[in-house]
mmCIF file of all heavy atoms in Angstrom:
data_model
loop_
_atom_site.group_PDB
_atom_site.id
_atom_site.type_symbol
_atom_site.label_atom_id
_atom_site.label_comp_id
_atom_site.label_asym_id
_atom_site.label_seq_id
_atom_site.Cartn_x
_atom_site.Cartn_y
_atom_site.Cartn_z
ATOM 1 N N TYR A 233 18.956 -5.616 -6.562
ATOM 2 C CA TYR A 233 18.750 -5.693 -5.119
ATOM 3 C C TYR A 233 18.531 -7.142 -4.669
ATOM 4 O O TYR A 233 18.807 -7.487 -3.520
ATOM 5 C CB TYR A 233 17.539 -4.858 -4.696
ATOM 6 C CG TYR A 233 17.837 -3.411 -4.363
ATOM 7 C CD1 TYR A 233 18.689 -2.655 -5.156
ATOM 8 C CD2 TYR A 233 17.259 -2.796 -3.264
ATOM 9 C CE1 TYR A 233 18.949 -1.328 -4.857
ATOM 10 C CE2 TYR A 233 17.517 -1.475 -2.953
ATOM 11 C CZ TYR A 233 18.355 -0.752 -3.758
ATOM 12 O OH TYR A 233 18.637 0.561 -3.459
ATOM 13 N N VAL A 234 17.996 -7.984 -5.544
ATOM 14 C CA VAL A 234 17.602 -9.325 -5.123
ATOM 15 C C VAL A 234 18.793 -10.132 -4.646
ATOM 16 O O VAL A 234 18.766 -10.724 -3.554
ATOM 17 C CB VAL A 234 16.858 -10.054 -6.260
ATOM 18 C CG1 VAL A 234 16.571 -11.496 -5.868
ATOM 19 C CG2 VAL A 234 15.558 -9.337 -6.590
ATOM 20 N N GLU A 235 19.856 -10.179 -5.423
ATOM 21 C CA GLU A 235 21.031 -10.945 -5.020
ATOM 22 C C GLU A 235 21.664 -10.358 -3.760
ATOM 23 O O GLU A 235 22.115 -11.101 -2.877
ATOM 24 C CB GLU A 235 22.053 -10.979 -6.158
ATOM 25 C CG GLU A 235 23.298 -11.793 -5.858
ATOM 26 C CD GLU A 235 23.006 -13.273 -5.628
ATOM 27 O OE1 GLU A 235 21.985 -13.778 -6.133
ATOM 28 O OE2 GLU A 235 23.806 -13.921 -4.933
ATOM 29 N N LYS A 236 21.670 -9.026 -3.641
ATOM 30 C CA LYS A 236 22.186 -8.403 -2.420
ATOM 31 C C LYS A 236 21.325 -8.789 -1.220
ATOM 32 O O LYS A 236 21.837 -9.073 -0.133
ATOM 33 C CB LYS A 236 22.221 -6.883 -2.573
ATOM 34 C CG LYS A 236 23.220 -6.370 -3.606
ATOM 35 C CD LYS A 236 23.165 -4.860 -3.701
ATOM 36 C CE LYS A 236 24.122 -4.325 -4.746
ATOM 37 N NZ LYS A 236 24.044 -2.843 -4.860
ATOM 38 N N ASN A 237 20.011 -8.798 -1.419
ATOM 39 C CA ASN A 237 19.115 -9.204 -0.333
ATOM 40 C C ASN A 237 19.438 -10.619 0.147
ATOM 41 O O ASN A 237 19.518 -10.889 1.348
ATOM 42 C CB ASN A 237 17.656 -9.148 -0.802
ATOM 43 C CG ASN A 237 17.128 -7.748 -0.973
ATOM 44 O OD1 ASN A 237 17.571 -6.816 -0.309
ATOM 45 N ND2 ASN A 237 16.166 -7.590 -1.872
ATOM 46 N N LEU A 238 19.607 -11.528 -0.798
ATOM 47 C CA LEU A 238 19.882 -12.916 -0.434
ATOM 48 C C LEU A 238 21.209 -13.039 0.309
ATOM 49 O O LEU A 238 21.359 -13.893 1.184
ATOM 50 C CB LEU A 238 19.880 -13.794 -1.684
ATOM 51 C CG LEU A 238 18.553 -13.865 -2.454
ATOM 52 C CD1 LEU A 238 18.714 -14.730 -3.698
ATOM 53 C CD2 LEU A 238 17.441 -14.404 -1.572
ATOM 54 N N SER A 239 22.162 -12.169 -0.027
ATOM 55 C CA SER A 239 23.479 -12.262 0.607
ATOM 56 C C SER A 239 23.446 -11.838 2.070
ATOM 57 O O SER A 239 24.325 -12.234 2.842
ATOM 58 C CB SER A 239 24.488 -11.406 -0.165
ATOM 59 O OG SER A 239 24.278 -10.019 0.063
ATOM 60 N N ILE A 240 22.468 -11.017 2.461
ATOM 61 C CA ILE A 240 22.451 -10.505 3.838
ATOM 62 C C ILE A 240 21.358 -11.138 4.696
ATOM 63 O O ILE A 240 21.265 -10.850 5.882
ATOM 64 C CB ILE A 240 22.296 -8.969 3.866
ATOM 65 C CG1 ILE A 240 20.988 -8.534 3.216
ATOM 66 C CG2 ILE A 240 23.492 -8.303 3.186
ATOM 67 C CD1 ILE A 240 20.737 -7.042 3.286
ATOM 68 N N LEU A 241 20.552 -12.004 4.093
ATOM 69 C CA LEU A 241 19.542 -12.702 4.884
ATOM 70 C C LEU A 241 20.220 -13.712 5.809
ATOM 71 O O LEU A 241 21.146 -14.426 5.414
ATOM 72 C CB LEU A 241 18.545 -13.425 3.987
ATOM 73 C CG LEU A 241 17.361 -12.609 3.468
ATOM 74 C CD1 LEU A 241 16.590 -13.408 2.427
ATOM 75 C CD2 LEU A 241 16.436 -12.190 4.606
ATOM 76 N N ASN A 242 19.736 -13.781 7.024
ATOM 77 C CA ASN A 242 20.225 -14.775 7.964
ATOM 78 C C ASN A 242 19.659 -16.151 7.627
ATOM 79 O O ASN A 242 18.740 -16.277 6.800
ATOM 80 C CB ASN A 242 19.831 -14.384 9.390
ATOM 81 C CG ASN A 242 20.461 -13.069 9.821
ATOM 82 O OD1 ASN A 242 21.579 -12.759 9.418
ATOM 83 N ND2 ASN A 242 19.755 -12.305 10.633
ATOM 84 N N THR A 243 20.187 -17.179 8.246
ATOM 85 C CA THR A 243 19.670 -18.529 8.055
ATOM 86 C C THR A 243 18.164 -18.562 8.336
ATOM 87 O O THR A 243 17.691 -17.956 9.301
ATOM 88 C CB THR A 243 20.396 -19.512 8.991
ATOM 89 O OG1 THR A 243 21.798 -19.487 8.684
ATOM 90 C CG2 THR A 243 19.865 -20.924 8.811
ATOM 91 N N ASP A 244 17.434 -19.223 7.449
ATOM 92 C CA ASP A 244 15.967 -19.291 7.509
ATOM 93 C C ASP A 244 15.315 -17.934 7.227
ATOM 94 O O ASP A 244 14.149 -17.708 7.591
ATOM 95 C CB ASP A 244 15.474 -19.823 8.860
ATOM 96 C CG ASP A 244 15.814 -21.293 9.064
ATOM 97 O OD1 ASP A 244 15.665 -22.070 8.107
ATOM 98 O OD2 ASP A 244 16.254 -21.651 10.170
ATOM 99 N N GLY A 245 16.043 -17.033 6.563
ATOM 100 C CA GLY A 245 15.497 -15.721 6.236
ATOM 101 C C GLY A 245 14.461 -15.787 5.127
ATOM 102 O O GLY A 245 14.393 -16.736 4.344
ATOM 103 N N ARG A 246 13.638 -14.727 5.076
ATOM 104 C CA ARG A 246 12.548 -14.664 4.097
ATOM 105 C C ARG A 246 12.614 -13.345 3.327
ATOM 106 O O ARG A 246 12.660 -12.271 3.938
ATOM 107 C CB ARG A 246 11.194 -14.761 4.787
ATOM 108 C CG ARG A 246 10.891 -16.114 5.408
ATOM 109 C CD ARG A 246 11.476 -16.269 6.809
ATOM 110 N NE ARG A 246 10.682 -15.568 7.829
ATOM 111 C CZ ARG A 246 11.143 -15.307 9.049
ATOM 112 N NH1 ARG A 246 12.385 -15.628 9.419
ATOM 113 N NH2 ARG A 246 10.355 -14.689 9.923
ATOM 114 N N LEU A 247 12.625 -13.451 2.011
ATOM 115 C CA LEU A 247 12.597 -12.285 1.127
ATOM 116 C C LEU A 247 11.209 -12.189 0.512
ATOM 117 O O LEU A 247 10.735 -13.140 -0.116
ATOM 118 C CB LEU A 247 13.646 -12.417 0.023
ATOM 119 C CG LEU A 247 13.585 -11.392 -1.118
ATOM 120 C CD1 LEU A 247 13.771 -9.975 -0.601
ATOM 121 C CD2 LEU A 247 14.619 -11.720 -2.189
ATOM 122 N N VAL A 248 10.563 -11.040 0.707
ATOM 123 C CA VAL A 248 9.206 -10.843 0.196
ATOM 124 C C VAL A 248 9.231 -9.760 -0.870
ATOM 125 O O VAL A 248 9.614 -8.617 -0.604
ATOM 126 C CB VAL A 248 8.235 -10.427 1.324
ATOM 127 C CG1 VAL A 248 6.801 -10.484 0.821
ATOM 128 C CG2 VAL A 248 8.394 -11.324 2.533
ATOM 129 N N MET A 249 8.814 -10.112 -2.074
ATOM 130 C CA MET A 249 8.784 -9.172 -3.201
ATOM 131 C C MET A 249 7.359 -8.658 -3.408
ATOM 132 O O MET A 249 6.423 -9.446 -3.502
ATOM 133 C CB MET A 249 9.254 -9.859 -4.484
ATOM 134 C CG MET A 249 10.647 -10.459 -4.427
ATOM 135 S SD MET A 249 11.946 -9.246 -4.129
ATOM 136 C CE MET A 249 11.619 -8.051 -5.424
ATOM 137 N N ILE A 250 7.214 -7.325 -3.468
ATOM 138 C CA ILE A 250 5.889 -6.761 -3.730
ATOM 139 C C ILE A 250 5.884 -5.823 -4.928
ATOM 140 O O ILE A 250 4.829 -5.357 -5.343
ATOM 141 C CB ILE A 250 5.336 -6.024 -2.497
ATOM 142 C CG1 ILE A 250 6.265 -4.896 -2.049
ATOM 143 C CG2 ILE A 250 5.084 -7.004 -1.364
ATOM 144 C CD1 ILE A 250 5.654 -4.003 -0.990
ATOM 145 N N ALA A 251 7.056 -5.538 -5.492
ATOM 146 C CA ALA A 251 7.158 -4.714 -6.698
ATOM 147 C C ALA A 251 8.582 -4.864 -7.218
ATOM 148 O O ALA A 251 9.427 -5.507 -6.584
ATOM 149 C CB ALA A 251 6.830 -3.248 -6.411
#
Side-chain angles (χ1 to χ4, degrees):
Y233 271 43
V234 174
E235 182 63 25
K236 293 179 182 179
N237 288 332
L238 298 178
S239 73
I240 61 177
L241 275 171
N242 297 326
T243 300
D244 292 318
R246 292 84 78 196
L247 170 61
V248 191
M249 302 298 307
I250 58 170

